[in-house]
């Protein structure tokens, strides 16, 4: 019985193709290949599609799942290991997702006689709060280094990148703004003896203490692996190293006119940290090209799969972005939340915004609530260590 369609002859003959040969097999690529070839449509496809309601990794409010499996307001888990370095006065290793940061603090002595006397500019506007020793004498010196191999973009033998310099400046600014380190903890005093001889029974009025030197903290931050949101991880590493910091017991020797430090590990003091400022970064992804012209979905039409019209102003705010999401977002917001130990009131220390104009006042209120959850996460990780070291 003849077949309805002719099969091709295997021995070099000819024949009409079958109906099944007219339908070519569709090509399929792994998700990693799709992300490299067309990153923006790849991210947009994840943000526009809603995951099943029983998915545990989605945001409870929107049901949207990002390519990394997290919801819009979900941040990566954080782990902190203190005293990770033995040759520093304080150290911490932070792992946030695939980002790994190591911070070490070395303390050096700055003598008062070596501090230059700077004449204040009368034309400069006076601040409401007086300058601290850290601000006037630059007693805290942070430095951020992106090590070779942390990302493919950082090659060996290159000068400090713009990202490293920016994070260094932001950390130094945040340390000064929060006044996290008390001046009293960095001062080295000397108690002069009374000039007149007095008997043991008489009351002794000692002269006031004199500041002979200060502790200068050199904070070095090294990224071993970087997968986005570098500032949040760097700031957590710096704060963890400050919690772990132990300064030697230093005294002024008037005979030698030098500062002598005790070698005993027990004769050390910790910083009196009463705050736990936490930073959280958000990025904004829009369905428009970076040039502001054609939408991403122009080739697919103005209607999505559900038949709803897509708007040019559609945007998604991503919490704790990874490296893939940061490259596709042009607007970022970093909110720093601070709280004083023993109180219940939260305080917004700083709001940093770069690029774009999507996020407004209404969005900021929602982002502050998410930042409060971030503070609870940080305090849950470091709160126990702070109580042990207080």
């Amino acid at each position: 019985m003849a077949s309805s369609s002719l099969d091709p002859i295997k021995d070099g003959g000819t024949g009409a193709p079958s109906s099944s040969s007219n339908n070519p097999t569709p090509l399929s690529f792994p998700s990693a290949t799709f992300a490299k070839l067309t990153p923006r449509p790849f991210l947009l496809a994840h943000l526009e599609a809603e995951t099943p309601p029983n998915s545990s990794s989605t945001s409870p409010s929107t049901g949207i799942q990002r390519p990394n499996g997290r919801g819009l307001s979900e941040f990566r888990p954080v782990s902190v290991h203190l005293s990770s370095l033995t040759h520093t006065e304080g150290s911490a290793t932070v792992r946030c997702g695939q980002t790994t940061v190591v911070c070490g603090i070395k303390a050096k002595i700055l003598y008062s006689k070596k501090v230059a006397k700077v004449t204040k500019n009368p034309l400069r506007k006076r601040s409401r709060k007086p300058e601290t020793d850290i601000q006037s004498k630059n007693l805290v010196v942070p430095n951020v280094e992106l090590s070779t191999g942390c990302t493919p973009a950082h090659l060996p033998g290159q000068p400090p990148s713009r990202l490293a310099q920016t994070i260094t400046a932001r950390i130094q600014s945040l340390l000064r703004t929060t006044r996290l380190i008390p001046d009293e903890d960095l001062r080295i005093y000397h108690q002069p003896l009374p000039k007149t001889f007095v008997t043991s029974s008489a009351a002794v009025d000692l002269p006031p203490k004199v500041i002979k030197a200060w502790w200068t903290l050199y904070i070095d931050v090294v990224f071993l692996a970087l997968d986005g949101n570098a500032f949040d991880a760097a700031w957590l590493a710096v704060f963890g190293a400050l919690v772990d910091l132990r300064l030697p017991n230093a005294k002024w020797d008037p005979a030698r006119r030098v500062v002598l430090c005790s070698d005993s590990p027990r004769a050390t003091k910790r910083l009196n940290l009463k705050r736990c400022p936490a930073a959280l970064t958000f990025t904004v992804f829009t369905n428009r090209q970076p040039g502001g012209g054609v939408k991403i979905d122009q080739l697919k039409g103005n209607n999505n799969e559900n038949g709803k019209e897509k708007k040019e102003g559609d945007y998604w705010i991503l919490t704790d972005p990874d490296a893939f999401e940061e490259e596709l977002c042009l607007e970022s917001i970093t909110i720093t939340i601070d709280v004083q130990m023993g109180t219940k009131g939260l305080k917004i220390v700083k709001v940093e915004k770069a690029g774009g104009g999507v996020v407004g006042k209404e969005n900021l209120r929602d982002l502050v609530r998410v930042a409060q959850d971030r503070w609870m996460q940080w305090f849950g990780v470091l709160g126990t260590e702070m109580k042990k070291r207080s």
Side-chain angles (χ1 to χ4, degrees), residues 247-308:
L247 295 176
N249 185 17
K251 294 183 179 181
W252 172 259
D253 188 354
R256 302 179 184 179
R257 302 187 65 83
V258 294
V259 175
L260 301 180
C261 299
S262 175
D263 296 333
S264 175
R266 297 182 178 180
T268 57
K269 64 175 182 179
R270 297 188 180 274
L271 298 180
N272 186 21
L273 302 178
K274 295 183 179 180
R275 294 179 175 86
C276 180
L280 181 58
T281 299
F282 306 86
T283 55
V284 181
F285 177 79
T286 62
N287 63 347
R288 298 178 64 91
Q289 293 287 1
V294 184
K295 294 189 297 181
I296 298 175
D297 53 354
Q298 182 184 19
L299 299 178
K300 298 190 298 182
N302 293 330
N303 295 332
N304 56 18
E305 297 178 356
N306 300 328
K308 296 181 181 180

Side-chain angles (χ1 to χ4, degrees), residues 283-339:
T283 55
V284 181
F285 177 79
T286 62
N287 63 347
R288 298 178 64 91
Q289 293 287 1
V294 184
K295 294 189 297 181
I296 298 175
D297 53 354
Q298 182 184 19
L299 299 178
K300 298 190 298 182
N302 293 330
N303 295 332
N304 56 18
E305 297 178 356
N306 300 328
K308 296 181 181 180
E309 184 178 356
K310 296 180 180 179
K311 300 180 181 180
E312 296 185 4
D314 289 345
Y315 64 91
W316 295 266
I317 300 179
L318 310 179
T319 305
D320 189 15
D322 54 20
F324 174 76
E325 296 170 343
E326 280 186 341
E327 294 180 357
L328 304 177
C329 300
L330 302 179
E331 183 175 355
S332 64
I333 307 97
T334 301
I335 300 178
T336 304
I337 298 293
D338 190 10
V339 63

Side-chain angles (χ1 to χ4, degrees), residues 75-79 96 236 278-280 320 371-383:
F75 32 78
R76 294 172 286 186
V78 173
S79 62
C96 182
L236 179 57
L280 181 58
D320 189 15
Q372 294 179 8
D373 298 336
R374 176 67 140 189
W375 183 89
M376 295 298 297
Q377 182 195 40
W378 282 30
F379 186 75
V381 175
L382 289 174

Side-chain angles (χ1 to χ4, degrees), residues 207-229:
K209 293 182 179 180
V210 180
I211 301 176
K212 289 296 184 179
W214 290 269
W215 285 110
T216 304
L217 305 181
Y218 293 90
I219 305 175
D220 291 324
V221 181
V222 179
F223 279 85
L224 302 182
L226 178 57
D227 186 25
N229 202 0

Side-chain angles (χ1 to χ4, degrees), residues 161-232:
S161 62
R162 182 184 301 176
L163 177 60
Q165 298 181 36
T166 302
I167 297 175
T168 301
R170 292 176 64 183
I171 290 177
Q172 187 174 30
S173 175
L174 193 56
L175 286 171
R176 295 184 176 185
T177 303
T178 57
R179 298 174 182 257
L180 183 64
I181 305 175
D183 291 341
E184 195 70 19
D185 294 349
L186 301 182
R187 293 173 179 175
I188 301 176
Y189 288 98
H190 169 60
Q191 179 62 67
L193 297 176
K195 297 181 180 180
T196 59
F197 178 78
V198 293
T199 61
S200 58
S201 60
V204 180
D205 295 332
L206 296 177
K209 293 182 179 180
V210 180
I211 301 176
K212 289 296 184 179
W214 290 269
W215 285 110
T216 304
L217 305 181
Y218 293 90
I219 305 175
D220 291 324
V221 181
V222 179
F223 279 85
L224 302 182
L226 178 57
D227 186 25
N229 202 0
F231 175 74
D232 292 7

